[in-house]
Amino acid sequence: MDLPKGKDVIGVKWVYKTKYNADGKVQKHKARLVARGFMQQYGVDYNKTFAPVARLDMVRMVLAIAAQNKWPIYEMDVKSAFLNGFLEEEVYVNQPEGAAMNLSYTPR
């Protein structure tokens, strides 16, 4: 689609990684589509940032409270937690180099 007037586009690229077993054999190939966020400017492309980082002393405190109250403790992978968020604004990205795909997304 054509970029609407007054909107900026964020570049994306593919990042490839090969995972190996302990014996050195290829276990799997992984690919991620990542945004080139370093190209954005504060106040122009975004107004606030958020990084879900836990301080170690807070993790210890929560674990101590859970142990004291005999609450069950579950594990969560926070590396992909941002994938469950909802966007409040429109975001436009370039199609990565060499890609010939037809993707469509309908917001919830």
Side-chain angles (χ1 to χ4, degrees):
M1 77 181 281
D2 294 327
L3 186 66
K5 288 184 180 180
K7 299 290 183 178
D8 290 322
V9 66
I10 300 172
V12 295
K13 67 177 183 174
W14 285 105
V15 176
Y16 302 101
K17 192 168 190 173
T18 303
K19 296 286 191 169
Y20 298 94
N21 288 332
D23 61 356
K25 292 183 182 177
V26 175
Q27 180 182 4
K28 61 183 167 181
H29 298 283
K30 296 179 80 172
R32 294 185 295 146
L33 184 65
V34 297
R36 298 173 48 138
F38 61 88
M39 302 290 287
Q40 295 179 316
Q41 298 175 4
Y42 180 77
V44 176
D45 299 310
Y46 66 94
N47 294 319
K48 59 183 176 181
T49 60
F50 175 74
V53 177
R55 291 180 33 194
L56 188 56
D57 57 340
M58 293 301 296
V59 172
R60 286 182 179 147
M61 183 181 70
V62 169
L63 289 174
I65 293 170
Q68 187 176 25
N69 292 304
K70 298 180 182 175
W71 294 339
I73 299 173
Y74 299 96
E75 181 179 345
M76 182 180 120
D77 180 12
V78 294
K79 189 173 182 180
S80 61
F82 72 95
L83 295 174
N84 298 318
F86 294 101
L87 294 175
E88 296 175 0
E89 61 279 328
E90 292 179 347
V91 177
Y92 297 91
V93 297
N94 276 336
Q95 195 167 5
E97 259 184 64
M101 42 186 165
N102 183 8
L103 299 176
S104 63
Y105 171 74
T106 306
R108 294 181 187 179

